[in-house]
Amino acid sequence: MLHGKVLVAQGGGPTAVINQSMVGAVLESRKFRNVDLVYGAHHGVRGIINEDFLDLTQETSHNLEMVAQTPSSALGSTRDKPDRKYCHEIFEVLRAHGIAYFFYIGGNDSSDTVRIVSEEAKAADYPLRCIHIPKTIDNDLVLNDHTPGFPSAARFVAQAFMGVNLDNAALRGVYLAVVMGRHAGFLTAASALGKKFPEDGPHLIYIPERTFRVESFLADVKAAYDKHGRCVVAISEGVHDEKGTPIVTTLSKATEKDAHGNIQLSGTGALSDLLCEEVKGKLGIKRVRGDTFGYLQRSFIGCVSDVDQREAREVGEKAVQFAMWGDQDGSVTIQRTGFYSVDYKLLPLASVAGKTRVMEDHFIAESGTDVTDAFRMYLRPLLGSGMPDAFRLRLNSVPRILKK
Amino acid sequence: MLHGKVLVAQGGGPTAVINQSMVGAVLESRKFRNVDLVYGAHHGVRGIINEDFLDLTQETSHNLEMVAQTPSSALGSTRDKPDRKYCHEIFEVLRAHGIAYFFYIGGNDSSDTVRIVSEEAKAADYPLRCIHIPKTIDNDLVLNDHTPGFPSAARFVAQAFMGVNLDNAALRGVYLAVVMGRHAGFLTAASALGKKFPEDGPHLIYIPERTFRVESFLADVKAAYDKHGRCVVAISEGVHDEKGTPIVTTLSKATEKDAHGNIQLSGTGALSDLLCEEVKGKLGIKRVRGDTFGYLQRSFIGCVSDVDQREAREVGEKAVQFAMWGDQDGSVTIQRTGFYSVDYKLLPLASVAGKTRVMEDHFIAESGTDVTDAFRMYLRPLLGSGMPDAFRLRLNSVPRILKK
């Protein structure tokens, strides 16, 4: 076991439970006598470069527990992706502060950051344990059954679709909602869990794992509308044509890119608005409404899966235990061991870092616009306890008298 | 007391608790021996014209209770606004079915429908009790302390802003969200209840009660951004220039109007996208994100105020009691009698119908971009019990060593 300080940081998009992982790592670290102090980096790796640390050893257990239950990244986050030079700067700071354990909570990009930092540490002969703690609402980390943050976001999406389905049933028309998900359709597919009766929406689900063709989309919407007198659609922000070009880029003038070269898909209603125009224009349906769930779905307070909270806490705790007792670098992964139970495994950073999982074929219905029962079985236990339920009136119709 | 059937209908936009009012009216009606049967009209007044009735007397109390807890309008809704001719058709149907009591749950437009139907009934010498039961997330019915549906939508907006404020604190930039509200800013102002610490967003709130000037908006955003390093903004969909022209119409090509002559403001991300472009272009801030809460805010399942549920139930029950024991037409209104308690009063239809309440001046801060403590005192009890709370880490900063 290395002797020194612990540093915890949070990267990438916030989730509803990422603070559980942070607090799990902080409180578990404090149980080890080889740990002097526990620091938190303010705004991810950017905070390391800036020597912007909080001393979490001076925080109370009570407040840590309260923060654990608060969505979003309490330490702040960043989209920075360190290159070799950036990592060299990181070492200078870590060495100066005597940091021996680096825990970085994040998704694909963050895991790749941990991998580079780990390699740089080895190359610089600097003794450092680097552990990646998984987190992403996209659920797109390979070798994980699922990732913390996804279940709560999925719960939000399922509950949201329960509601908008009822709304659309009351005032009929076409309703479509754009859900987060650049490459993986898991979160959009979660909309299927909002469905109770066969007539309920979402009637159509579009995910990035299948090519999006505007003509097929219009034909699907027309068929569903003709059948139900209404139509509720869930669409991933990352839907793309056969060349892989996001549908949204064909319409938005400015295509903002982040440090990872990703085009901005969230924080704009463009995709939803364009598709609504298509439906209005081409199908002649009058009442067409589109929403973009946007940032609500990843940080809504008060719509959190208790299963997700528990697991997010455990990956934080396990990260510290793996680092201390296992004395090796790696990425903590979630493995499903029962219906429903999980266990955690430390895997090599290179096996997880920078890779993107997408929805497996057996989760996607043959139509390409629905999910399978296998997906419903997969997702349901993750949503946690106390899911709301929607009820409807029975159709005891009164015979017409005037029959006009 | 008239002898005959009861007819209940729901009009306008759904809310999270409108079924409480419906079930309250149904179950209360069944206690009176002069009531033969209780019908529900499918999709509001449109269902009456179509003779599309459900016999709610054949529904179980259990299922009614479950439906009461389900958001949106279980009977279906409509945007139809009856004129004299339409009302004549209504009478034909009501007369044919022996309906003596008409309860219509709705907002401004629906209350006006009830007024016209009531007048038409008198003109046609048809014995009919017409009662308007209040409902609207906009909170814009005059002579009411507040309206059922508003508290739950306000709770959603407050919780949503708690979350996006935390998200924006983690990944800094400008975030703006468009909230429903054509003429009244109550729902947008509810975002202020998501604020805990002085540094929290929303830092700026724009409501239709104050003229919106793009230049002032940009100056406000810049000032807040300079002060906090970030900025969270809440904006009513109905913000307009000094001539009363909605800001959104200056940008959207198609301006869809409903039967009431209202321009479509919801179900499009246009306003949010335009304002984001303004901030990016004119202020040179890179990370600017916009969301439109859309339909989530009025029918989200699992984010409901228990106070709202209770009151929505009571206005339904009181409507029946006023009709039976009072033997007069009118609109049920909510009056505040304590901190916190309410009572219900039946007022003449003409005093409520078709009128629009807006936020009173003493609820709006002098800056025009914030609310007063009077508003916070007004709204807080309506949000109900079990509001989530957000916590943050204390800033125990670690001294820099390298100081680069």
Side-chain angles (χ1 to χ4, degrees):
Chain A
M1 271 186 219
L2 300 173
H3 187 107
K5 298 197 185 83
V6 164
L7 176 65
V8 184
Q10 299 173 311
T15 79
V17 298
I18 191 172
N19 291 335
Q20 289 282 359
S21 300
M22 185 265 288
V23 169
V26 171
L27 292 179
E28 188 67 15
S29 292
R30 298 211 51 196
K31 296 177 186 161
F32 289 85
R33 67 176 72 179
N34 56 313
V35 171
D36 298 328
L37 291 168
V38 181
Y39 285 179
H42 220 179
H43 294 286
V45 285
R46 166 68 43 189
I48 304 178
I49 298 294
N50 295 341
E51 278 192 278
D52 191 0
F53 295 143
L54 298 184
D55 183 358
L56 298 174
T57 329
Q58 294 187 48
E59 187 53 273
T60 63
S61 308
H62 174 75
N63 199 48
L64 284 172
E65 289 297 351
M66 293 298 101
V67 168
Q69 288 174 40
T70 303
S72 188
S73 314
L75 285 169
S77 192
T78 179
R79 292 284 185 191
D80 280 8
K81 184 177 182 175
D83 54 13
R84 297 283 151 182
K85 185 172 165 291
Y86 198 117
C87 287
H88 187 73
E89 289 184 58
I90 288 179
F91 297 140
E92 269 189 58
V93 178
L94 296 185
R95 193 182 279 127
H97 285 270
I99 283 156
Y101 296 92
F102 173 42
F103 298 102
Y104 201 27
I105 311 163
N108 291 343
D109 296 329
S110 304
S111 64
D112 208 38
T113 297
V114 178
R115 181 185 62 80
I116 300 175
V117 170
S118 167
E119 286 172 11
E120 285 290 309
K122 282 192 188 78
D125 212 22
Y126 180 83
L128 182 70
R129 287 276 71 79
C130 295
I131 307 274
H132 166 239
I133 300 174
K135 167 269 7 170
T136 167
I137 64 162
D138 291 337
N139 201 37
D140 61 355
L141 285 180
V142 298
L143 304 178
N144 280 275
D145 178 74
H146 61 278
T147 53
F150 166 66
S152 295
R155 182 172 176 138
F156 180 88
V157 169
Q159 289 189 203
F161 270 90
M162 273 186 210
V164 295
N165 169 64
L166 294 164
D167 199 293
N168 180 262
L171 286 172
R172 285 148 169 261
V174 173
Y175 174 86
L176 57 91
V178 173
V179 180
M180 278 185 174
R182 190 175 297 269
H183 303 293
F186 290 104
L187 196 55
T188 306
S191 62
L193 277 284
K195 199 169 168 152
K196 178 174 178 174
F197 298 106
E199 302 80 18
D200 284 347
H203 305 102
L204 297 165
I205 299 171
Y206 296 93
I207 53 177
E209 284 80 356
R210 296 289 178 264
T211 299
F212 188 87
R213 290 183 189 84
V214 176
E215 316 78 59
S216 319
F217 162 75
L218 289 172
D220 294 344
V221 169
K222 190 182 182 313
Y225 189 80
D226 288 348
K227 184 174 175 188
H228 301 290
R230 65 191 190 92
C231 182
V232 175
V233 187
I235 305 175
S236 281
E237 61 182 6
V239 289
H240 54 79
D241 63 18
E242 48 281 311
K243 290 176 199 154
T245 312
I247 300 295
V248 72
T249 57
T250 66
L251 34 141
S252 66
K253 296 159 289 179
T255 50
E256 180 184 328
K257 290 187 183 183
D258 67 12
H260 306 273
N262 297 325
I263 291 161
Q264 185 202 334
L265 296 178
S266 301
T268 159
L271 178 60
S272 160
D273 285 357
L274 167 98
L275 293 172
C276 284
E277 287 305 314
E278 287 288 320
V279 173
K280 275 186 203 172
K282 305 269 169 68
L283 299 183
I285 297 170
K286 214 187 153 228
R287 191 169 190 277
V288 183
R289 300 290 185 262
D291 279 336
T292 305
F293 287 177
Y295 292 92
L296 296 185
Q297 60 203 311
R298 76 179 184 197
S299 55
F300 194 82
I301 196 166
C303 180
V304 179
S305 157
D306 51 357
V307 169
D308 196 18
Q309 287 181 310
R310 223 152 48 214
E311 293 177 351
R313 183 63 164 254
E314 284 192 293
V315 291
E317 292 183 358
K318 288 305 295 180
V320 174
Q321 294 177 3
F322 284 131
M324 300 297 172
W325 306 119
D327 202 26
Q328 56 182 320
D329 293 2
S331 178
V332 181
T333 62
I334 302 186
Q335 310 295 327
R336 192 178 297 220
T337 54
F339 187 76
Y340 173 76
S341 73
V342 293
D343 206 353
Y344 307 95
K345 239 199 220 169
L346 191 74
L347 295 179
L349 284 164
S351 67
V352 173
K355 292 178 182 167
T356 301
R357 173 189 179 190
V358 296
M359 264 181 87
E360 289 77 9
D361 281 340
H362 72 282
F363 284 160
I364 307 169
E366 218 167 314
S367 65
T369 56
D370 199 2
V371 300
T372 59
D373 282 346
F375 181 75
R376 290 186 190 91
M377 287 282 284
Y378 164 76
L379 183 54
R380 185 55 193 86
L382 307 186
L383 301 181
S385 54
M387 274 292 282
D389 194 0
F391 292 81
R392 66 183 184 187
L393 294 169
R394 297 187 178 94
L395 283 174
N396 298 305
S397 292
V398 174
R400 283 190 172 78
I401 293 173
L402 300 175
K403 295 175 188 161
K404 289 218 279 193
Chain B
M1 270 188 222
L2 299 174
H3 187 106
K5 299 197 184 82
V6 163
L7 177 65
V8 183
Q10 298 173 311
T15 79
V17 298
I18 190 172
N19 291 334
Q20 290 283 1
S21 300
M22 185 265 288
V23 169
V26 171
L27 292 179
E28 188 67 16
S29 291
R30 298 211 50 197
K31 296 177 187 161
F32 288 85
R33 65 176 71 179
N34 55 316
V35 171
D36 298 327
L37 291 167
V38 180
Y39 285 179
H42 220 179
H43 293 287
V45 284
R46 165 70 44 188
I48 304 178
I49 298 294
N50 295 340
E51 277 192 279
D52 191 0
F53 295 143
L54 298 184
D55 183 357
L56 298 175
T57 330
Q58 294 186 48
E59 188 52 273
T60 61
S61 308
H62 174 75
N63 199 48
L64 284 171
E65 289 297 351
M66 294 297 101
V67 168
Q69 288 175 39
T70 303
S72 187
S73 314
L75 286 169
S77 192
T78 180
R79 292 285 186 189
D80 281 8
K81 184 176 180 172
D83 54 13
R84 297 283 151 183
K85 186 173 163 290
Y86 199 117
C87 288
H88 188 72
E89 289 183 59
I90 288 177
F91 296 141
E92 270 189 54
V93 178
L94 296 183
R95 192 183 278 127
H97 286 268
I99 284 157
Y101 295 92
F102 174 44
F103 298 102
Y104 202 26
I105 310 162
N108 289 344
D109 296 329
S110 304
S111 65
D112 208 39
T113 298
V114 178
R115 181 186 61 81
I116 299 175
V117 170
S118 167
E119 287 173 12
E120 284 292 307
K122 283 192 186 77
D125 213 21
Y126 180 83
L128 181 70
R129 286 278 71 77
C130 295
I131 307 274
H132 167 238
I133 301 173
K135 167 265 11 165
T136 168
I137 63 162
D138 292 336
N139 202 38
D140 61 355
L141 286 180
V142 298
L143 304 178
N144 281 274
D145 178 74
H146 61 279
T147 55
F150 166 66
S152 294
R155 182 172 176 138
F156 179 89
V157 169
Q159 289 190 200
F161 270 89
M162 272 186 211
V164 295
N165 169 65
L166 293 164
D167 199 294
N168 180 262
L171 286 173
R172 284 146 171 263
V174 172
Y175 175 88
L176 57 92
V178 173
V179 180
M180 278 184 174
R182 191 175 295 271
H183 303 293
F186 289 105
L187 197 54
T188 306
S191 62
L193 278 283
K195 198 168 170 154
K196 179 173 176 174
F197 298 106
E199 301 81 17
D200 284 347
H203 306 102
L204 296 166
I205 299 171
Y206 296 93
I207 53 177
E209 285 79 357
R210 295 289 179 264
T211 299
F212 187 87
R213 290 181 189 85
V214 176
E215 317 77 60
S216 320
F217 161 75
L218 290 172
D220 295 344
V221 169
K222 190 179 182 314
Y225 188 81
D226 287 348
K227 183 173 178 190
H228 302 289
R230 64 190 191 94
C231 181
V232 175
V233 187
I235 305 174
S236 282
E237 60 183 7
V239 289
H240 55 79
D241 63 17
E242 49 280 313
K243 289 176 200 151
T245 312
I247 300 295
V248 72
T249 56
T250 65
L251 34 140
S252 66
K253 296 159 290 182
T255 50
E256 181 183 328
K257 292 189 182 184
D258 68 11
H260 305 274
N262 296 328
I263 291 162
Q264 184 202 334
L265 296 179
S266 301
T268 161
L271 178 59
S272 161
D273 285 357
L274 167 96
L275 292 173
C276 283
E277 287 305 314
E278 287 288 320
V279 173
K280 274 186 206 174
K282 305 267 170 69
L283 299 185
I285 297 170
K286 215 188 153 228
R287 190 169 191 279
V288 183
R289 300 290 184 262
D291 279 336
T292 304
F293 287 175
Y295 292 92
L296 296 184
Q297 61 204 310
R298 77 180 183 196
S299 56
F300 195 82
I301 195 166
C303 181
V304 179
S305 157
D306 52 356
V307 168
D308 195 18
Q309 288 181 309
R310 223 153 47 215
E311 293 176 353
R313 183 64 163 254
E314 284 191 293
V315 290
E317 292 182 358
K318 289 304 296 180
V320 174
Q321 294 176 4
F322 284 131
M324 299 298 173
W325 305 121
D327 203 27
Q328 56 183 320
D329 294 1
S331 179
V332 181
T333 61
I334 301 186
Q335 310 295 327
R336 193 178 296 219
T337 55
F339 187 76
Y340 173 76
S341 74
V342 295
D343 206 354
Y344 307 95
K345 238 199 219 168
L346 191 74
L347 295 179
L349 284 163
S351 67
V352 173
K355 292 178 182 167
T356 301
R357 174 190 178 189
V358 295
M359 265 181 85
E360 289 76 8
D361 281 340
H362 71 282
F363 284 159
I364 306 169
E366 216 167 313
S367 66
T369 57
D370 198 2
V371 300
T372 59
D373 282 345
F375 181 74
R376 291 186 189 91
M377 288 281 284
Y378 164 76
L379 183 53
R380 185 56 193 86
L382 307 185
L383 301 182
S385 54
M387 274 293 282
D389 194 1
F391 292 82
R392 66 182 184 188
L393 294 169
R394 296 187 180 95
L395 283 175
N396 297 306
S397 292
V398 174
R400 283 190 173 79
I401 293 173
L402 301 175
K403 294 174 189 161
K404 287 217 281 197

